Amino acid sequence: MSAAPRFARIAVPSPLSRHFDYRLIAGEPVPAPGTRVRVPFGRQELIGVVLGVATQSNLPRDKLKSIRRSLDAEPLFPVTLMELLVWASAYYHHPIGEVMATALPVLLRRGLPANAAGEKRFALTEAGRQLSPDALKRSPLQQRLVQALNARAEGLSAAQLTEVASHWRDAIKRLTARGLIHITEEPCQPPKLAGQHRAPQLTPAQQAAGAAILAASGKFQCLLLLGVTGSGKTEVYLRAIEEVIARGDQVLVLVPEIGLTPQLVTRFEGRLNAPVAVMHSGLNENERLCAWQMARTAQAAVVIGTRSAVFTPMPKLALIIIDEEHDASFKQQDGFRYHARDVAIKRARLENLPVLLGSATPALESLHNAQQGRFQLLSLPERTGAAQPPRVTLLDLKRLKRNEGISPPLIEALQARLDRKEQSLLFLNRRGFAPVLMCHDCGWLAPCKRCDARLTIHQRSRKLRCHHCGAEAQLPVTCPACGSGNLHGIGEGTERIETALARLFPQARIERIDRDSTRRKGSLEEKLRRVHAGEADILVGTQMLAKGHDFPDLTLVGVLNADQGLYSADFRSEERLVQQLVQVAGRAGRADKPGEVLIQTHHPDNPAFAALAHHDYREFGRYALAEREAAQYPPFAHLALLRAESPKPDAALAFLRAAHGHAENLVEAEPVHLMDPVPSPMERRAGRYRAQLLVQAGERKALHDFLNIWLAQLEGEKLGHRVRWSLDVDPVEMY
Ligand SMILES: [Zn+2]
Ligand SMILES: [Zn+2]
């Protein structure tokens, strides 16, 4: 008979990249993997997740502390999800405790019961817990309540508070106002069912795609649905979901941050007539726990969520769908830098189920996987209904004079739309009035004091603003260098284009949609409502407009400056540009009204534009993948980026040089290539100097073997204590 386990391996939320051993509580049941426990950690008490139990520990007996308390009777994460989290920790080289914490709703990280949502609960905030016992001396009632709450980190219900003190409400109100108590409210209701909307007739291509998805049921398979804009990808998703939930199974749908609109959710609810749980960053903590609980108990048949929803426990999960799989928001850019698409594929493999990636413009990595036969390619080559693809024309800026950034052919095309009472959209990925303020007498350019960047002019608010760190200054009247009043904005932003349009077309109703004009809650919805109601003639906007919006009267899309992103230091910038242009061009024209796209560029011969004009993203993919292969960039090599930053000018670079030194001894044995440490393309940002070191390997395993040894050495590197450093596996942003 094997010995009874006496220790538990616990993932504790700490920046240390390992688990910790604790003694089990004598006489209590052995905690199952995936349950939470409260453990002493240094001077604090933390909530960790049990990874497993053991009969032995490497630590000496007297060093081992004991678990204080088990919080869950049954695991919060099923076995395969635990496996996924452990894998993600190893793959992204991120501490297991922080990975586990990411996967848990905040209220569960704080120790509330898993089914806590729905009941009004009162718990101490961090400030409340830190409060010294003397601070409330003058109010014995408040003191008593805080003491009671201190003993119960998961909080107390109203009924439990009444047991502590019958007249607790005023005191709790005062403590809440001081930020010492946190209340979770809003009852957790099962998602409501909407009326069933009728499904449209499918095209043959949609039917074929649906059949292929169905054929993949019950086994691991990646399917890439390449569908041009307007080809009805969502309809394919909906049919597949219907099939799966009819069997009583669950579906997880991941969408980009910007794509999770109320319209999308309504469309899903209306068609599926099934309980849908929605998970995104806009939820409060109670709502989030509610949605999580619905998913975990399979009360929700469908979960629609952004990036972190990939970690939601779903016992009957049978299909994962990732819409706009190329979207950069699937990659977490700080802390635990995981890619939700890649994690989802791993999850599908572990749970033995199909995963469907959809996009009009797949990531080159995915396209390559399809070409290699690792993904099954499903194609929707045509728009639904009678809609033709829009005609794309390139306007050569070298030959055209512009009126405030708008060329004569574009002005003509706008006038024609106004005459026909159709809508136009001008796309420009730059908000504000002008990107640079310059003195025409001495050449002074308004700089950001904290970044290697220029300040953007915001004429409406009479401000200069840094789009990198958020710094603000009043718009100066005279040049701070020479005193001249000859200050002018160089280049165009959305504000300036809006002003120019108002001058060119005084009768037109213009709607500007960017981050500045939609800051107020509800203003985006109101603007979109006006556009849909035909109360706007010309839309001016940034990438906020590029996705997910369907404007039936829109027949012209003008791209004002397509060249940002060409010839950039980041090897992904061209891919991103083409993806964005395809998306925005896709807004033009629907069934009965053909669309036109005019693109202003200085480089009409660039092959990226040719693919756009031919409506052939795969043509772009072939050319771009050939370039990637020649340069040995992903998907032909695997990358990791070591970043460092510091308020001191040379500290980051010094650390990376030391890191490079450590690697030199290792690299001989490993087929891994290290670039030289370099300052980041924008070296100074928000007052911090940044540098980076790129690691490249032909084989994924070689890269990870190297990183495992190298990171262990870096944790002991003294220069590392002076900087903030991080490792990014499969980086998406290269600065
Ligand atoms: Zn000047
Ligand atoms: Zn700045």
Side-chain angles (χ1 to χ4, degrees):
M1 206 178 100
S2 60
R6 289 155 55 214
F7 308 101
R9 309 210 187 289
I10 313 283
V12 178
S14 117
L16 296 170
S17 59
R18 55 188 186 86
H19 59 76
F20 295 85
D21 286 357
Y22 285 88
R23 260 189 290 210
L24 299 178
I25 308 173
E28 283 199 15
V30 175
T35 58
R36 290 170 305 158
V37 289
R38 208 169 258 290
V39 292
F41 192 80
R43 290 181 183 178
Q44 336 164 48
E45 197 177 79
L46 294 178
I47 290 166
V49 176
V50 178
L51 296 170
V53 290
T55 51
Q56 299 286 337
S57 171
N58 294 333
L59 276 180
R61 264 176 156 262
D62 54 333
K63 293 265 180 198
L64 277 168
K65 294 181 184 170
S66 175
I67 292 173
R68 294 256 164 92
R69 201 151 65 83
S70 280
L71 296 180
D72 303 303
E74 53 188 63
L76 299 184
F77 300 119
V79 178
T80 46
L81 201 49
M82 286 296 283
E83 250 180 89
L84 182 73
L85 292 164
V86 170
W87 169 84
S89 164
Y91 184 85
Y92 292 104
H93 298 270
H94 197 75
I96 181 69
E98 291 187 0
V99 169
M100 291 283 169
T102 303
L104 281 174
V106 172
L107 293 180
L108 298 189
R109 281 178 230 167
R110 293 200 192 128
L112 261 71
N115 58 2
E119 208 181 356
K120 203 169 193 173
R121 289 193 90 82
F122 304 81
L124 288 182
T125 61
E126 193 54 47
R129 277 198 295 277
Q130 305 286 334
L131 201 69
S132 93
D134 291 347
L136 298 171
K137 252 197 319 219
R138 286 195 297 172
S139 168
L141 177 58
Q142 289 186 17
Q143 202 168 29
R144 188 142 53 104
L145 290 166
V146 167
Q147 269 166 7
L149 289 165
N150 231 335
R152 298 288 293 270
E154 72 274 22
L156 295 172
S157 65
Q160 289 168 321
L161 281 172
T162 308
E163 287 172 23
V164 178
S166 50
H167 301 287
W168 53 271
R169 287 186 192 272
D170 277 353
I172 289 287
K173 206 187 263 175
R174 255 171 258 135
L175 291 166
T176 308
R178 287 178 61 188
L180 301 173
I181 284 182
H182 160 97
I183 308 174
T184 51
E185 310 171 292
E186 288 164 58
C188 186
Q189 285 159 345
K192 61 180 187 316
L193 299 184
Q196 182 111 22
H197 293 199
R198 256 209 291 157
Q201 187 76 36
L202 293 186
T203 64
Q206 284 174 321
Q207 281 172 15
I213 299 163
L214 215 58
S217 304
K219 58 180 186 222
F220 169 64
Q221 187 167 345
C222 286
L223 305 116
L224 177 63
L225 179 62
L226 173 58
V228 300
T229 52
S231 62
K233 284 189 296 293
T234 310
E235 195 52 45
V236 174
Y237 304 156
L238 286 166
R239 294 296 171 96
I241 296 170
E242 276 174 343
E243 300 277 357
V244 173
I245 64 180
R247 301 194 303 250
D249 288 334
Q250 289 177 294
V251 182
L252 172 63
V253 184
L254 298 177
V255 296
E257 209 75 62
I258 198 171
L260 189 47
T261 56
Q263 289 86 336
L264 179 90
V265 175
T266 309
R267 182 168 175 197
F268 271 69
E269 286 171 341
R271 267 295 300 287
L272 297 170
N273 200 34
V276 175
V278 183
M279 301 186 101
H280 58 82
S281 55
L283 299 181
N284 69 34
E285 284 150 19
N286 194 56
E287 289 167 333
R288 196 168 181 89
L289 180 54
C290 255
W292 187 86
Q293 184 65 4
M294 292 293 148
R296 191 174 84 97
T297 54
Q299 288 175 77
V302 179
V303 173
I304 307 179
T306 51
R307 190 173 58 223
S308 66
V310 72
F311 298 115
T312 311
M314 296 174 70
K316 296 187 166 183
L317 184 63
L319 173 66
I320 304 177
I321 296 173
I322 306 169
D323 189 28
E324 307 290 351
E325 63 90 31
H326 64 279
D327 195 275
S329 78
F330 285 123
K331 171 87 183 190
Q332 168 93 17
Q333 300 290 4
D334 54 16
F336 173 28
R337 292 174 161 81
Y338 65 97
H339 198 303
R341 177 194 60 216
D342 299 342
V343 173
I345 291 172
K346 180 72 184 181
R347 181 169 181 176
R349 187 190 289 276
L350 288 170
E351 300 195 21
N352 210 25
L353 47 92
V355 53
L356 174 65
L357 317 181
S359 176
T361 55
L364 290 177
E365 283 87 345
S366 300
L367 213 50
H368 181 66
N369 276 325
Q371 286 170 1
Q372 298 293 306
R374 281 190 290 268
F375 293 1
Q376 185 184 350
L377 186 67
L378 312 174
S379 167
L380 303 177
E382 277 161 10
R383 288 182 162 195
T384 52
Q388 292 301 305
R391 196 175 64 217
V392 177
T393 309
L394 297 167
L395 302 175
D396 187 351
L397 288 180
K398 293 194 295 293
R399 296 160 207 268
L400 291 166
K401 240 184 131 53
R402 276 174 292 168
N403 188 340
E404 305 228 38
I406 311 174
S407 64
L410 187 50
I411 292 176
E412 256 172 60
L414 285 165
Q415 185 60 56
R417 295 316 180 289
L418 289 171
D419 295 343
R420 297 207 295 263
K421 307 222 175 317
E422 293 171 359
Q423 292 176 322
S424 308
L425 186 166
L426 291 193
F427 174 76
L428 176 62
N429 236 349
R430 206 178 249 162
R431 60 202 172 85
F433 183 79
V436 182
L437 178 67
M438 185 171 100
C439 169
H440 277 213
D441 286 329
C442 76
W444 172 83
L445 299 164
C448 175
K449 291 193 177 78
R450 310 171 66 214
C451 305
D452 293 328
R454 309 285 174 208
L455 295 173
T456 301
I457 306 169
H458 287 252
Q459 194 80 47
R460 287 283 164 79
S461 50
R462 310 283 309 155
K463 289 251 163 67
L464 288 172
R465 220 172 266 155
C466 176
H467 287 186
H468 304 284
C469 72
E472 269 191 0
Q474 286 300 316
L475 197 56
V477 183
T478 55
C479 171
C482 74
S484 156
N486 202 2
L487 295 176
H488 295 277
I490 309 285
E492 292 90 25
T494 45
E495 244 186 52
R496 184 175 221 167
I497 296 299
E498 182 187 22
T499 312
L501 287 170
R503 212 168 16 237
L504 288 163
F505 307 106
Q507 266 81 50
R509 295 161 302 173
I510 299 161
E511 203 69 69
R512 172 164 63 94
I513 299 186
D514 58 26
R515 202 139 41 96
D516 299 312
S517 74
T518 56
R519 222 170 276 271
R520 208 164 28 82
K521 199 173 168 163
S523 56
L524 175 63
E525 290 71 23
E526 175 54 21
K527 279 171 176 288
L528 292 174
R529 188 202 59 77
R530 282 202 292 270
V531 176
H532 280 287
E535 293 166 23
D537 302 309
I538 306 178
L539 288 73
V540 183
T542 56
Q543 60 191 359
M544 281 181 80
L545 274 180
K547 284 178 207 161
H549 303 294
D550 206 358
F551 306 118
D553 292 324
L554 192 108
T555 59
L556 173 69
V557 167
V559 178
L560 289 173
N561 186 355
D563 298 343
Q564 297 167 27
L566 286 180
Y567 316 112
S568 151
D570 185 340
F571 72 88
R572 283 185 212 275
S573 64
E574 193 173 85
E575 176 187 353
R576 233 171 268 144
L577 172 75
V578 171
Q579 288 168 339
Q580 210 166 58
L581 293 183
V582 171
Q583 296 288 346
V584 74
R587 303 301 113 215
R590 279 301 183 248
D592 49 337
K593 291 177 183 159
E596 182 177 24
V597 179
L598 299 177
I599 299 176
Q600 300 190 155
T601 171
H602 286 96
H603 307 281
D605 301 329
N606 190 294
F609 294 130
L612 200 65
H614 303 157
H615 303 285
D616 190 353
Y617 184 76
R618 275 198 267 179
E619 175 189 330
F620 165 72
R622 278 188 291 276
Y623 137 81
L625 280 169
E627 284 202 331
R628 291 270 181 97
E629 185 164 23
Q632 279 301 295
Y633 276 128
F636 301 95
H638 303 284
L639 301 182
L641 192 64
L642 182 66
R643 295 191 181 87
E645 58 173 60
S646 162
K648 297 207 190 75
D650 294 315
L653 219 42
F655 167 69
L656 294 185
R657 285 199 197 99
H660 197 275
H662 284 288
E664 261 156 22
N665 308 322
L666 304 172
V667 168
E668 273 173 279
E670 305 282 357
V672 170
H673 179 64
L674 269 85
M675 311 284 178
D676 286 328
V678 288
S680 303
M682 183 192 293
E683 184 178 11
R684 200 170 48 110
R685 182 166 172 170
R688 304 180 78 89
Y689 293 84
R690 308 171 318 142
Q692 60 192 38
L693 195 176
L694 189 65
V695 185
Q696 195 179 32
E699 297 296 327
R700 205 181 277 288
K701 183 170 183 314
L703 178 66
H704 285 277
D705 289 348
F706 164 75
L707 291 176
N708 279 329
I709 309 173
W710 192 42
L711 287 174
Q713 297 190 351
L714 295 190
E715 273 167 17
E717 170 53 52
K718 276 205 300 291
L719 289 172
H721 301 319
R722 302 209 209 139
V723 301
R724 198 191 290 165
W725 65 269
S726 62
L727 183 81
D728 191 349
V729 175
D730 305 334
V732 166
E733 301 286 353
M734 297 302 288
Y735 53 79

